[in-house]
Amino acid sequence: MPKSKRNRPVTLSKTKKKGREHKETVVNSIRDVAEKFDSVYVFTFENMRNLKFKEFRDRLKSSSRFFLGSNKVMQVALGKTAADEIKSGLHKISKVLHGDSGLCFTSLPKEEVIRLFGEYEDYDFARTGSTAAKTVELKEGPLDQLWRRKKKLRVKTHIYKNFRGSKIRRWMEPFLRKQGMPVRLNKGVVELVSDYTVCEEGKHLSPESARILRLLGIKMATFKLHLICRWAPEDFEVYREGLEDSDIESS
């Protein structure tokens, strides 16, 4: 049968899988770094944001080295048991490498590392599927009034003061209707015809809710790093259990 010449969709985002060669490179890199630094920390994260993490990593560039990736590859690099570990006691680190976690090799004092990880947090817009931190309700009336100077957006459990969102323009009215908001255009002003609940505390955000919150300028996602444990020669400390249900961005 002759080959069909009709147009067919081509996936431009298709990428090649990282093979054995890449995994071996990561393993060798971790083993080389383990010889240079005095201590290793396992950390986990909430609401991962690549750019925010890169900023944090760059701050410690001169004294630390971070690894994020396949837990199994990192476990192989460190050693899964006492028989194949590259340093005494490092197999204990492998046992707590599960879920969304990473490695931090550093020469900084323990107190300094704990302080840096504990103090760091950054805010960003919540994504679809993440849990709403607060209930947000909009009252009936012109949406333009929300952007007047010194105006407060009052919501059920919180008050956002002087937030900076996108100013509601009349051409946004069709977009807002598509998100499920009961809006209309009245003399060039977009207004709500009834009270509208954008999201409820404790419930997962829908795609529409996430878009509206971004438009309002409300940041509900907090990017945090948490230390799980620390290894040093002849010393191993566990700080906390791993976290679950985190809003994560692949890195």
Side-chain angles (χ1 to χ4, degrees):
M1 180 180 288
K3 188 176 181 180
S4 174
K5 294 183 180 180
R6 64 183 176 180
N7 294 331
R8 296 183 179 180
V10 178
T11 304
L12 299 178
S13 60
K14 188 175 182 180
T15 57
K16 294 182 179 179
K17 291 185 178 180
K18 297 177 181 178
R20 182 182 182 86
E21 190 173 318
H22 171 75
K23 294 177 182 178
E24 289 178 350
T25 301
V26 174
V27 169
N28 292 332
S29 296
I30 291 176
R31 289 177 175 173
D32 290 342
V33 170
E35 297 294 333
K36 298 176 182 178
F37 291 94
D38 302 327
S39 56
V40 188
Y41 294 81
V42 174
F43 65 92
T44 187
F45 41 82
E46 293 180 79
N47 305 313
M48 169 58 82
R49 299 294 185 265
N50 286 343
L51 289 178
K52 305 294 184 183
F53 179 70
K54 184 178 182 298
E55 292 173 3
F56 179 78
R57 187 179 60 191
D58 288 344
R59 285 169 54 186
L60 305 178
K61 190 175 182 179
S62 61
S63 59
S64 307
R65 181 76 184 273
F66 290 84
F67 288 93
L68 281 176
S70 169
N71 290 334
K72 290 183 178 180
V73 173
M74 292 190 287
Q75 286 171 348
V76 169
L78 297 172
K80 293 185 176 182
T81 65
D84 58 6
E85 63 186 6
I86 58 176
K87 281 188 175 181
S88 178
L90 266 183
H91 74 281
K92 297 177 183 178
I93 289 284
S94 295
K95 291 183 178 180
V96 295
L97 271 174
H98 57 81
D100 306 306
S101 54
L103 293 174
C104 173
F105 293 84
T106 183
S107 55
L108 292 173
K110 177 178 70 174
E111 295 75 15
E112 181 71 5
V113 175
I114 293 174
R115 183 186 65 81
L116 288 170
F117 275 78
E119 291 179 353
Y120 185 81
E121 64 178 32
D122 211 327
Y123 299 94
D124 200 357
F125 298 107
R127 296 197 171 105
T128 301
S130 58
T131 303
K134 301 290 180 182
T135 296
V136 177
E137 292 181 343
L138 301 178
K139 299 299 181 182
E140 177 184 353
L143 286 177
D144 191 56
Q145 69 180 339
L146 299 175
W147 277 262
R148 291 176 187 169
R149 188 167 183 170
K150 296 183 179 179
K151 193 74 179 178
K152 298 177 182 179
L153 172 61
R154 294 186 175 273
V155 298
K156 190 172 182 181
T157 57
H158 195 70
I159 297 178
Y160 292 89
K161 299 180 180 179
N162 299 326
F163 64 93
R164 294 181 176 272
S166 301
K167 185 176 176 61
I168 297 295
R169 307 289 185 180
R170 54 182 160 185
W171 54 264
M172 292 182 180
E173 186 260 346
F175 170 78
L176 295 174
R177 261 193 289 111
K178 286 182 180 180
Q179 310 313 310
M181 293 182 67
V183 295
R184 68 182 177 186
L185 200 58
N186 185 12
K187 297 181 180 179
V189 178
V190 180
E191 63 179 21
L192 276 172
V193 298
S194 62
D195 294 350
Y196 180 73
T197 301
V198 179
C199 60
E200 295 183 29
E201 183 178 359
K203 292 188 177 181
H204 294 297
L205 292 179
S206 64
E208 295 76 18
S209 296
R211 294 188 196 107
I212 294 171
L213 289 174
R214 179 178 287 270
L215 189 67
L216 295 174
I218 299 175
K219 296 182 178 181
M220 283 192 177
T222 305
F223 171 41
K224 291 183 179 181
L225 298 169
H226 304 278
L227 291 175
I228 302 300
C229 67
R230 169 183 175 269
W231 173 92
E234 301 180 0
D235 188 18
F236 181 74
E237 296 177 281
V238 176
Y239 298 124
R240 59 176 294 167
E241 297 297 326
L243 300 174
E244 297 178 354
D245 301 326
S246 175
D247 168 17
I248 305 143
E249 177 183 334
S250 300
S251 59

